[in-house]
C-alpha cells in the first residue's frame, strides 16, 4: 500500500459522501459508480486494484462498505479508511431513518408499491453493466467462460449463496496454483 498524501482526507470525504448520496440500487449498482469514480475519473486505483477491492468486500459484511474502506486505506492508510467509511455511510443512515419515518406514515398507499417495483429493472441493468465492465478483458479463455457458466448454474439452479461460493473459489485457486507450481517444478 502506498499512502498518497496528495489526496486529502477532505477530498476522500467529498467523493465518498457524493457516492453515498447518489449511489442508489444496492451493492452492485454502487460498485459501477465506484469503479467509474476511482478507476476512470480519479485514477486512484487501477482496474485490477478495484477488482481486488470488490473481492475483499465479499469476505464479510456489506461489500460496498468494505470496498470503500479498502479504497480509503489504499489511498491514505488507516485514516483514509475511516473517513471513507463514515462519509460513505452517513447519507444512507440519514436517508434510511427518514424513509422509515415516511413509510410509517404512508405505507398503506397502493401506488407506492407499484412505483417501487417499476424502478427495479433500472437497478438490474446497472448491476449487469458493472459486471460486464469489470469482466471485460478477463474473460479470455475457456476456463473463464466455464467458471462463469458454472457459477451462474450454482446460483440460479441450486440456489447456492455467494457466501458459499467464495470458499469454493479460494479452494479452486489454491488447487490450480499447486498444480501449476508442481508442473513448473517438474519442468525444471
Amino acid at each position: 500500500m502506498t499512502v498518497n498524501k496528495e489526496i486529502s482526507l477532505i477530498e476522500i470525504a467529498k467523493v465518498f459522501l457524493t457516492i453515498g448520496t447518489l449511489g442508489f440500487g444496492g451493492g452492485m449498482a454502487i460498485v459501477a459508480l465506484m469503479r467509474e469514480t476511482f478507476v476512470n475519473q480519479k485514477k486512484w486505483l487501477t482496474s485490477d486494484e478495484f477488482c481486488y477491492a470488490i473481492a475483499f468486500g465479499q469476505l464479510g459484511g456489506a461489500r460496498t462498505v468494505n470496498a470503500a474502506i479498502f479504497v480509503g486505506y489504499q489511498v491514505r492508510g488507516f485514516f483514509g479508511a475511516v473517513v471513507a467509511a463514515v462519509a460513505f455511510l452517513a447519507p444512507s443512515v440519514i436517508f434510511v431513518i427518514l424513509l422509515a419515518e415516511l413509510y410509517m406514515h404512508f405505507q398503506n398507499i397502493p401506488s407506492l408499491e407499484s412505483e417501487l417495483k417499476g424502478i427495479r429493472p433500472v437497478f438490474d441493468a446497472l448491476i449487469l453493466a458493472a459486471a460486464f465492465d469489470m469482466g471485460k478483458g478477463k474473460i479470455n479463455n475457456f476456463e473463464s467462460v466455464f467458471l462463469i457458466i458454472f457459477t451462474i448454474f450454482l446460483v440460479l439452479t441450486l440456489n447456492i449463496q455467494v457466501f458459499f461460493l467464495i470458499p469454493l473459489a479460494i479452494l479452486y485457486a489454491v488447487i490450480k496454483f499447486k498444480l501449476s507450481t508442481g508442473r513448473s517444478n517438474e519442468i525444471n
Side-chain angles (χ1 to χ4, degrees), residues 106-148:
F106 301 109
Q107 64 183 324
N108 296 323
I109 299 174
S111 63
L112 179 63
E113 185 177 326
S114 64
E115 288 175 14
L116 291 175
K117 284 182 182 176
I119 295 172
R120 176 69 193 244
V122 173
F123 296 142
D124 293 343
L126 287 171
I127 291 167
L128 286 173
F132 178 76
D133 199 35
M134 288 174 62
K136 251 189 316 193
K138 292 175 179 58
I139 305 169
N140 51 12
N141 58 32
F142 175 77
E143 180 185 26
S144 299
V145 173
F146 173 77
L147 289 172
I148 290 168

Side-chain angles (χ1 to χ4, degrees), residues 7-28:
I7 301 170
S8 71
L9 294 175
I10 292 172
E11 174 69 8
I12 292 171
K14 284 181 190 175
V15 170
F16 278 101
L17 195 61
T18 301
I19 290 172
T21 303
L22 302 177
F24 292 101
M28 290 310 290

Side-chain angles (χ1 to χ4, degrees), residues 22-91:
L22 302 177
F24 292 101
M28 290 310 290
I30 295 172
V31 165
L33 180 58
M34 286 179 146
R35 185 178 196 290
E36 177 62 27
T37 302
F38 302 126
V39 175
N40 299 333
Q41 292 175 3
K42 299 284 184 186
K43 306 214 184 302
W44 289 358
L45 300 175
T46 66
S47 183
D48 283 346
E49 288 170 330
F50 183 76
C51 285
Y52 297 142
I54 299 307
F56 288 127
Q58 298 288 333
L59 295 177
R63 70 179 139 251
T64 52
V65 175
N66 292 345
I69 292 168
F70 182 91
V71 171
Y73 187 81
Q74 284 294 104
V75 174
R76 281 296 302 268
F78 175 78
F79 293 110
V82 171
V83 168
V86 170
F88 179 70
L89 286 171

